[in-house]
Structure formats: C-alpha cells, structure tokens
Amino acid sequence: MISLNPTIASYWHAFNRHDTEALLSCFDPEAVLLYQNQIWVGCADIQRWQHQHQQQLQLVGAAEQAGQTLVQAKAGQQVWCYMFALQDGKISRLIVEPGVAA
C-alpha cells in the first residue's frame, strides 16, 4: 500500500470519485496547477481543469523529493507524474506531466 500525506490522499480519493467540492477543498485558494504547458491559477481554474480530466487514476508510486511529494499514477497505459507542494496543509502547487513506466 502506498502511504500519502492526508491532503494528497484526499485529493486522489476526490479525483477518482469526480467529487469537485472535495477535490477543491484540498487546494489553497490561490493554488497553481501546471499541466501541458498551461497554468491554472485559483480554485475556479482548477475546477475547469478537473472537469476536463475525468479519468480514473491508479497510484503506482510515491516519494518525497526536496520537500515535495512526487506521485506516479496510471490512466490506462499512460503514466503521469504529479508533483505536489503543500503549504499549511493545502496544495499550493501541483505540476502534472507525462511520465515513463518504471
């Protein structure tokens, strides 16, 4: 079983349930999300991003790196890397990039 910070674990559960309200509660109101060369700032933007990404994610790995949490997840055959930065128990920055299978 993969051990995650409670905020990040809540994010995954909300993402896979498509629970927008629970997902947004994990973010700082001024959080920044970087995805495919686009920047999404604040909860309204992140909500629009979330509505465009309704797939199920399977966690495949997690590690702490330079004060951030790197999580790998699969959607079908595609592996994605999620780099979370937390501040005061909320996600302040999330970078989502295509990854490579381990």
Side-chain angles (χ1 to χ4, degrees), residues 48-70:
R48 283 190 287 279
W49 175 84
Q50 189 261 341
H51 284 296
Q52 296 173 14
H53 300 89
Q54 296 287 316
Q55 72 269 27
Q56 292 286 311
L57 296 172
Q58 176 188 358
L59 296 178
V60 294
E64 294 295 319
Q65 182 178 13
Q68 300 180 75
T69 303
L70 173 63

Side-chain angles (χ1 to χ4, degrees), residues 3-23:
S3 176
L4 295 174
N5 169 288
T7 299
I8 297 171
S10 294
Y11 169 88
W12 286 113
H13 293 298
F15 189 95
N16 280 334
R17 288 191 324 267
H18 312 296
D19 184 339
T20 301
E21 185 176 329
L23 183 131

Side-chain angles (χ1 to χ4, degrees), residues 5 7 25-29 85-93:
N5 169 288
T7 299
S25 74
C26 299
F27 285 91
D28 180 87
L86 300 177
Q87 183 174 336
D88 299 326
K90 299 284 186 177
I91 300 168
S92 59
R93 186 179 66 244

Side-chain angles (χ1 to χ4, degrees), residues 34-47:
L34 292 98
Y35 174 78
Q36 293 190 340
N37 298 321
Q38 292 186 345
I39 299 173
W40 307 77
V41 180
C43 288
D45 267 2
I46 292 169
Q47 180 176 4

